[in-house]
Amino acid sequence: MNRSVPALTVLGAAGLLLPLVPLSSLSSLSSFSSLASAAVAEQAVPVLNGDFADPVMKGDGPTTVGIDHWTGLNQRYSPAASGRTDGSHGVALQKDGNTLQQRLRGVRAGARVTVRYEDSPAVSKECTGEQVVAGQPYAVVASGGPVQELTTAGDPDRVKGTPGKGRWTGRGYVFTASENDPLLTFSSRVTDSRTHVTCSPMIARIRAVEVPPAVDKTVSKTALGTSEAYKGNERESTLHNAAAACNGENACTFRPDTRTSFRYYDRARIVGEAFVNCTRNALEHSRLLSYSERAHDSISQTYADAGLALNEVARLPTSGDRTEDEKRLKERPMAAQFALAYEKVWQRPWQWFSSDQRTVVEKIQPGEVSWVEMQPSRERVEGWFVSKKDDYRLHAVVDGPSRAVPDRLLQRTGPMSETEKQRCAAARPMTTTPVGADAPASSSDKGLLKSPASRAADVQAGIRSVLLN
């Protein structure tokens, strides 16, 4: 880069001198610890084509062909024509309300994002000295952040007909994302109608980092949030088109976000019945327990929350009906795309559903109750279905039974509840004796019934019976 103004000077003047915390927060050792933690937690954000190198351009420019992954027909200059030595291209922001925009992929709402880039007054030979002598105004804003009004460095030595050499200055913009995949926007503030269309402020070498929000692991598997779909930098109103774009064996690739994916134990639930021992003796017996787990996904939940029928191509094996899910597992390409990506990242197969049977032996003391609880191990995977052309992206969260750690079976005994005590104390069901209920028992019925002959007598009789000739 040529003739660069020191970046820290400009950041300080803009109130963005790093570290990005109020000076008052540095009054204690704990604050320094917080700073260290924040520095460690900072992660790179992918800014696609941040050097504006694609598509490959011929000549030095300016050209107004669309820049890959960016929205807005702005004018691009080669590194040499931009006055840069790092290989990055310069982009002149068109006036008349045109913008340069890109959504920052993978950034979640609540993330603290720092965007770093460089700006310069126009290098176009159409500029007059008057137009660039005091710098050129522009604005930068992102979803959830303030509009930051800036002016490039001045270029007082310019003469019309002579290209500029670039006065590149390091800048920084910090914001807290108010939505997922926040939109970053640069806009020219040049409004003078006499200014040539190519004589406008320039942007180059955009980079970003974030401190992501903490993962909320308390979210229920039945309320995984709203899935979102994008085409390029535009948010889609429905998930239909993005899901349809993935309806082919290799049409999409699932990209899991390992930062927000995790394993956990679900809430315990009782499996089978509770066995109440109302007797005076300890009881021991065996019983067979059967249990099963299913998967859930945010795509189907988004359709359900909107009151829409689930699009066939978006049906992952998460219906809870084993027969239906086995059918979807074979027929739905998105299920295979997800499972393949999961296995590549975590080196083990994904399972959409599971079931098992166990025989347990229970020993229940008098006055106690026995029951079995299960805590299933589960995994939650967040990520994106991305089409091969990277035009459609569909965000999804899938929560299913885990192979990584075993389920927990808790065999438990405990005292009876008050209701169970009352049940055990209840009298045995009986019927009444309507006549002579209080009379003494009648005489014995001995001799009134015909008693069967003694087998022993028959045997003896058989022995004494002899047939004589």
Side-chain angles (χ1 to χ4, degrees):
M1 296 175 286
N2 296 348
R3 305 173 65 187
S4 296
V5 178
L8 286 180
T9 303
V10 177
L11 288 172
L16 296 172
L17 183 61
L18 301 180
L20 302 170
V21 294
L23 293 178
S24 60
S25 68
L26 303 181
S27 58
S28 66
L29 181 61
S30 61
S31 298
F32 284 106
S33 299
S34 299
L35 276 176
S37 299
V40 172
E42 205 170 65
Q43 301 174 6
V45 173
V47 179
L48 304 183
N49 197 22
D51 290 331
F52 307 117
D54 298 317
V56 176
M57 66 180 294
K58 296 180 180 179
D60 288 332
T63 62
T64 54
V65 176
I67 303 171
D68 289 356
H69 304 295
W70 293 89
T71 300
L73 293 177
N74 299 278
Q75 296 179 317
R76 185 170 55 143
Y77 292 79
S78 70
S82 301
R84 301 188 62 81
T85 59
D86 62 355
S88 59
H89 296 60
V91 172
L93 302 173
Q94 288 268 31
K95 62 175 185 175
D96 300 327
N98 196 22
T99 58
L100 178 68
Q101 295 180 317
Q102 184 180 136
R103 288 193 178 274
L104 301 179
R105 268 72 162 173
V107 175
R108 312 307 292 159
R112 184 74 170 170
V113 184
T114 301
V115 179
R116 297 185 177 94
Y117 64 97
E118 296 180 38
D119 67 16
S120 170
V123 298
S124 171
K125 64 182 179 180
E126 302 295 336
C127 296
T128 65
E130 179 186 4
Q131 292 168 335
V132 295
V133 64
Q136 294 181 293
Y138 70 96
V140 58
V141 66
S143 305
V147 177
Q148 184 167 299
E149 301 287 348
L150 296 164
T151 301
T152 68
D155 195 354
D157 303 326
R158 294 287 295 282
V159 177
K160 185 173 182 180
T162 302
K165 297 181 180 179
R167 298 270 300 175
W168 292 101
T169 303
R171 301 284 190 178
Y173 175 70
V174 182
F175 70 98
T176 299
S178 61
E179 64 175 344
N180 299 328
D181 279 28
L183 186 64
L184 176 66
T185 304
F186 295 90
S187 304
S188 173
R189 291 291 197 241
V190 174
T191 58
D192 187 350
S193 61
R194 296 172 298 172
T195 300
H196 192 275
V197 67
T198 61
C199 188
S200 56
M202 299 181 69
I203 302 296
R205 200 174 186 276
I206 302 177
R207 301 290 188 269
V209 294
E210 67 164 329
V211 177
V215 178
D216 185 357
K217 297 183 179 181
T218 65
V219 175
S220 169
K221 61 182 180 292
T222 59
L224 296 174
T226 302
S227 287
E228 301 159 330
Y230 298 88
K231 185 176 183 181
N233 293 315
E234 299 297 322
R235 188 191 298 272
E236 294 278 278
S237 59
T238 70
L239 308 183
H240 295 322
N241 292 335
C246 294
N247 190 28
E249 184 176 354
N250 297 309
C252 284
T253 300
F254 185 79
R255 298 176 182 171
D257 187 343
T258 56
R259 303 172 306 169
T260 53
S261 302
F262 58 92
R263 299 195 304 265
Y264 70 100
Y265 276 110
D266 204 357
R267 292 180 178 178
R269 69 174 188 266
I270 295 179
V271 181
E273 300 80 17
F275 198 105
V276 183
N277 185 1
C278 292
T279 72
R280 295 184 175 87
N281 302 307
L283 297 178
E284 185 172 323
H285 73 110
S286 300
R287 61 166 161 163
L288 181 66
L289 297 175
S290 299
Y291 52 92
S292 61
E293 286 290 299
R294 53 167 290 196
H296 301 263
D297 74 275
S298 62
I299 297 176
S300 61
Q301 291 174 11
T302 299
Y303 275 87
D305 291 343
L308 300 174
L310 182 60
N311 194 358
E312 184 175 350
V313 296
R315 293 176 181 174
L316 295 175
T318 58
S319 70
D321 183 308
R322 186 65 173 263
T323 302
E324 170 65 18
D325 286 341
E326 288 176 344
K327 178 182 178 183
R328 293 183 183 184
L329 186 59
K330 296 177 181 178
E331 298 178 355
R332 295 275 65 85
M334 288 176 66
Q337 293 159 11
F338 177 90
L340 178 61
Y342 175 89
E343 188 163 355
K344 283 184 176 180
V345 172
W346 282 283
Q347 299 297 306
R348 59 177 178 269
W350 172 261
Q351 60 179 3
W352 295 96
F353 37 78
S354 66
S355 59
D356 202 358
Q357 287 185 333
R358 299 288 176 86
T359 298
V360 297
V361 178
E362 295 176 305
K363 187 171 184 179
I364 315 169
Q365 297 300 321
E368 286 194 337
V369 182
S370 172
W371 70 97
V372 176
E373 294 179 359
M374 177 193 177
Q375 264 194 295
S377 66
R378 299 185 65 86
E379 291 191 61
R380 186 165 300 175
V381 180
E382 181 173 351
W384 296 86
F385 288 96
V386 182
S387 65
K388 289 298 183 181
K389 295 181 180 180
D390 198 27
D391 49 357
Y392 281 106
R393 306 190 314 282
L394 175 57
H395 177 261
V397 182
V398 178
D399 190 302
S402 175
R403 291 175 183 259
V405 291
D407 298 329
R408 287 173 175 161
L409 281 178
L410 294 84
Q411 189 170 346
R412 304 184 63 179
T413 60
M416 296 182 191
S417 67
E418 289 302 319
T419 301
E420 290 165 339
K421 290 179 180 178
Q422 293 173 12
R423 181 65 260 165
C424 284
R428 177 167 56 93
M430 296 290 289
T431 189
T432 60
T433 305
V435 177
D438 55 350
S442 61
S443 60
S444 172
D445 59 1
K446 187 178 293 186
L448 298 178
L449 297 177
K450 184 178 181 180
S451 300
S454 170
R455 294 187 60 191
D458 291 343
V459 171
Q460 292 298 323
I463 291 175
R464 286 194 292 266
S465 298
V466 179
L467 181 64
L468 298 177
N469 293 328

